[in-house]
Every structure is written in C-alpha cells, then in structure tokens.
C-alpha cells in the first residue's frame, strides 16, 4: 500500500496543528518510511524545511476547495493507497483515508468561533468521520470528546498519536543566554482567541509584582470576539508572533510559563517550555493533567485571583522548588517523541488500514 499525506498545511504558517503535521512527516522521513506529500501548487511556506520530503504539487488553489474538490482527482485510477490528513478533515470524497481530530472546541463552545467556521465544521466533520477508515487524535481526553459528540463511532476506530516537541529546537540554553534580560518576566504563548482565556490572565496580572507578563501570539480570523486585549498596566507586553529562535530564547529566559486555556486537545506550549527548563503553571483541566502530570502547578482558569495567587506563589518560592519543577519538566517530556508517534501511526496503518 502506498502512503500519501495531505500536504495543504505546507502552504500555511506553522501554528499548532501545522507543527503536528510537519513534525510527524519529518519523523517518518527520519525513520525511512516511504510516503508522498500531495500539495497545492501554491508556494511552500518559509516556516518549513522540506529538503528531505517527497512532494508532488497538484491542481489549483490552496483553500478548503482544493482539499475537498481538487485533491480527490489526484487519486482517480489509483489503487492500494491511503491518504492521511494530519491537520483536520481531509476530503470526504476520498474513500481510502485517515483523518485527525485535534479537538472539538467548536462543538464544546460554538461562540468561540466565527459562524462560517462553526457551520463548516459542524456540517463537514461528521461526514469526514463516517467516510474515514480510522480517526487519529492527540490525547485520551480528545478521544473521549470524540466519542461523546459522535457516539455512533466505535472506540476501536480512534487512536491517540501524541504531540511532542522538536528536541533539537526546544532545549535548555546556557546560563549566559538565559539571563540576558533586564527584567524578570512570566511568559504566555498561544494564539489569541477566546478559549485561550487571555482576558482573565491579563486581569490577573494587572496586580502582578516582581515580574512582567510577556504574551506571544497572534489573532486568528476563525475565532469570534476578536477584540484587542486592553490593559492599563505598563508591565504587560503583547509581542505578537515571533520566530522559533526567539520563542526558544523567551522560554529560556522566563521565570515561568503560564497557560490559562479553558479547553485544549493537547496543548503543546507547556511541553516546549519544559524542554527549555522553564517551570510551567497551567489550567486545571483534564487534558493538562494528562499531558503535564506532576510536572506543573495547576490553577482554576475561571478565577483571575487564583491565577494571580499561583503565579505569585511560584515567584516567591525557593530556588530548590524551582529546580525541582525544572527536573520534573525534563522527566515529563521524555514520555513524548515524534519518532514514537510516527511508529504508533505506522502500526495503526499496518493493523487497521492495510
């Protein structure tokens, strides 16, 4: 059987789901697993190094229309193949396929999203699920959500293939680099959208003393209520989107990393922070308990006063406690690797799709 991967993600900036797709592809290449990425004819985005990937460009455009209506023509006349989409639905017209559901936040809370986004995925996701040979997801929590919202599915048709971090990029740097900053700061990294809970974090940190708050992330048009976050505090800074190299520097220099999200399928930034030796403070939600284990401090994300209390409590802790949290973070990320995830994927294909 020949393996094809939906490569539309390579034409888009690298955010969470694109990073997942890209890193599994790179891991498959390192493991010398043969596959072909089928991409639109649009240029490959500069975020990706594709020098070791086998890519075929096909069709016109690079939108959902390409994915749903153009891509299927590539497979006419082909036999004994499987198409995997790592960033979402894939084409409902391709019979031999595997799709990925990262989360079902649009069903959990529709008001977080634009109407167009909500109705497109509300209509298309069940069709894609019913026409897929197998469903991938990124956590046991997300698997439980899929079964809750789509009870017609057999749980054996859903498999967890975890996220991981690129250990060659996200890593602890020297103490000289770590301390090249004029002020202590707390770091938060995520797209700026309602479910990431930035409004409560900003409210909490209006009264933060002893450190500034740096927020890395951009707005995204698929989300509703895209109002600029306002603050009267001169120690809360919005940095926008930064390069991976700058992000690693910030993780290394931050006093701690805070992740106040209300809902996640996995939540990769806490693992990136742990890999860089940055202690992690996260929302007390089921998926973060699954991903972070005992390597994080937890807070109620609905209470700004609780967010502030946990941040302040951490900042006032002794160096021994901070060192212990860093070590727990290093130990925790060993549970996740892209090579392991790629091997799990290939076993799923061998068992259920060949």
């Amino acid at each position: 059987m020949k393996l094809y991967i939906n490569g539309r993600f390579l034409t888009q900036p690298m955010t969470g789901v694109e990073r997942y797709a890209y890193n599994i592809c790179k891991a498959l290449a390192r493991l010398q697993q043969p596959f072909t990425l089928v991409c639109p004819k649009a240029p490959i985005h500069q975020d990706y190094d594709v020098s070791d990937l086998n890519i075929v460009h096909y069709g016109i455009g690079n939108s959902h229309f390409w994915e749903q209506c153009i891509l299927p023509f590539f497979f006419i006349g082909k036999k004994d193949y499987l198409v995997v989409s790592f960033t979402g639905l894939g084409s409902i017209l391709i019979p031999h396929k595997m799709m990925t559901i990262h989360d079902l936040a649009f069903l959990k809370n529709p008001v977080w999203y634009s109407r167009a986004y909500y109705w497109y995925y509300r209509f298309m996701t069940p069709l894609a699920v019913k026409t897929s040979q197998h469903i991938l997801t990124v956590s046991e929590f997300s698997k439980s959500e899929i079964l809750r919202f789509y009870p017609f599915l057999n749980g054996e048709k859903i498999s967890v293939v975890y996220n991981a971090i690129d250990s060659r990029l996200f890593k602890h740097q020297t103490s000289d680099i770590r301390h090249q900053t004029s002020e202590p700061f707390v770091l938060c990294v995520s797209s700026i959208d309602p479910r990431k809970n930035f409004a409560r974090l900003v409210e909490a940190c209006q009264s933060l003393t002893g450190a500034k708050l740096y927020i890395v992330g951009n707005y995204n048009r698929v989300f509703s209520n895209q109002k600029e976050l306002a603050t009267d505090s001169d120690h809360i800074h919005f940095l926008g989107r930064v390069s991976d190299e700058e992000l690693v520097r910030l993780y290394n220099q931050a006093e701690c990393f805070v992740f106040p999200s209300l809902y996640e399928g996995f939540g990769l930034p806490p693992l990136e922070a742990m890999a860089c030796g940055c202690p992690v403070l996260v929302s007390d939600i089921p998926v973060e308990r699954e991903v972070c284990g005992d390597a994080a401090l937890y807070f109620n994300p609905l209470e700004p006063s609780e967010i502030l209390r946990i941040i302040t409590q951490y900042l006032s802790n002794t160096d021994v406690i901070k060192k212990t949290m860093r070590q727990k973070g290093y130990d925790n990320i060993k549970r996740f690797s892209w090579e392991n995830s790629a091997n799990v994927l290939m076993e799923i294909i061998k068992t259920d799709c060949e």
Side-chain angles (χ1 to χ4, degrees), residues 119-332:
W119 284 110
Y120 177 79
Y121 281 93
R122 173 71 182 267
F123 176 74
M124 293 294 290
T125 301
L127 294 178
V129 164
K130 290 177 180 179
T131 57
S132 293
Q133 291 180 246
H134 204 86
I135 312 297
L136 304 177
T137 192
V138 292
S139 65
E140 294 294 340
F141 169 75
S142 278
K143 180 176 179 177
S144 69
E145 289 286 271
I146 294 167
L147 291 171
R148 181 165 73 90
F149 283 107
Y150 302 121
F152 58 83
L153 267 174
N154 183 334
E156 294 181 356
K157 192 180 179 181
I158 309 170
S159 296
V160 175
V161 179
Y162 278 124
N163 270 285
I165 55 99
D166 184 347
S167 58
R168 293 167 298 179
L169 174 64
F170 295 99
K171 58 186 177 181
H172 177 75
Q173 296 177 332
T174 67
S175 58
D176 289 342
I177 294 175
R178 285 179 60 83
H179 297 295
Q180 286 176 5
T181 179
S182 59
E183 57 193 12
F185 64 91
V186 173
L187 181 65
C188 183
V189 177
S190 180
S191 58
I192 299 177
D193 68 72
R195 68 175 170 139
K196 302 300 184 178
N197 203 29
F198 280 101
R200 289 189 180 91
L201 176 64
V202 168
E203 180 182 345
C205 291
Q206 297 280 1
S207 304
L208 181 65
T209 59
K212 296 191 175 184
L213 173 66
Y214 288 3
I215 296 176
V216 171
N218 269 352
Y219 292 89
N220 190 317
R221 61 187 174 84
V222 306
F223 300 106
S224 65
N225 302 319
Q226 290 291 284
K227 298 177 181 178
E228 293 288 333
L229 290 171
T231 174
D232 296 327
S233 174
D234 61 0
H235 62 266
I236 299 177
H237 300 278
F238 295 92
L239 305 184
R241 182 175 169 82
V242 302
S243 67
D244 281 346
E245 292 72 19
E246 176 67 5
L247 180 58
V248 171
R249 184 187 68 81
L250 290 167
Y251 278 137
N252 271 270
Q253 292 180 346
E255 294 295 313
C256 62
F257 174 78
V258 61
F259 197 63
S261 184
L262 299 173
Y263 187 93
E264 294 289 331
F266 185 90
L268 190 54
L271 291 189
E272 294 174 349
M274 289 178 187
C276 295
C278 183
V280 168
L281 289 57
V282 297
S283 296
D284 194 356
I285 55 178
V287 71
E288 293 310 325
R289 290 283 181 177
E290 178 182 347
V291 172
C292 296
D294 67 350
L297 295 179
Y298 294 90
F299 54 77
N300 180 353
L302 299 176
E303 295 292 340
S305 60
E306 171 72 358
I307 299 173
L308 177 61
R309 185 182 70 80
I310 295 298
I311 295 174
T312 302
Q313 175 182 304
Y314 168 78
L315 292 176
S316 63
N317 264 326
T318 66
D319 288 340
V320 173
I321 294 175
K322 294 177 182 179
K323 184 177 180 179
T324 299
M325 285 192 66
R326 289 192 181 100
Q327 186 57 52
K328 286 185 176 182
Y330 293 144
D331 293 339
N332 184 61

Side-chain angles (χ1 to χ4, degrees), residues 26 33 76 103 129 164 185 194 232 270 352:
K26 298 290 276 189
Q33 293 285 354
I76 292 178
D103 64 60
V129 164
F185 64 91
D232 296 327
D352 291 350

